[in-house]
Amino acid sequence: MAKVPSALVAAGGLVGGYGVARWTRKRQLGGAVLAVAGAAAAQQWREQAGGKAAGALTAAYVAAFAGSHPLAKKVGAWPAVFGAAGAVALASWAVAVADRNA
């Protein structure tokens, strides 16, 4: 069975976590989605690129989540979430996938 790429897992966690929190009006449920996807992505990053890279990408994931909040006040919630998700996906691809294919 093929794995879902870590970049997609991380981006999906940010978008899905926000979507679940918004549509259910239960922030804790959105947080659970965010945490589960983040843990799954971190495991893949560790397997693909090692512990240091996984730590850096996990920090980027958390920073993107935190950074999307003030950004949302300037550009709106969904654009901020999609921007944060795109940034994390790009970083994930660059660190965990591109190096393996080089």
Side-chain angles (χ1 to χ4, degrees):
M1 180 186 220
K3 277 188 179 179
V4 176
S6 57
L8 185 58
V9 172
L14 289 164
V15 173
Y18 175 69
V20 166
R22 181 170 180 147
W23 290 315
T24 65
R25 300 190 189 274
K26 296 185 189 305
R27 293 179 72 178
Q28 298 86 350
L29 192 55
V33 171
L34 181 80
V36 168
Q43 178 62 34
Q44 285 186 317
W45 292 328
R46 208 172 6 267
E47 292 170 3
Q48 294 168 344
K52 284 185 181 182
L57 288 168
T58 300
Y61 183 79
V62 172
F65 167 70
S68 69
H69 289 79
L71 182 60
K73 293 179 184 192
K74 296 180 189 260
V75 300
W78 280 112
V81 170
F82 285 128
V88 168
L90 183 60
S92 176
W93 178 82
V95 172
V97 178
D99 286 343
R100 289 186 344 161
N101 293 330

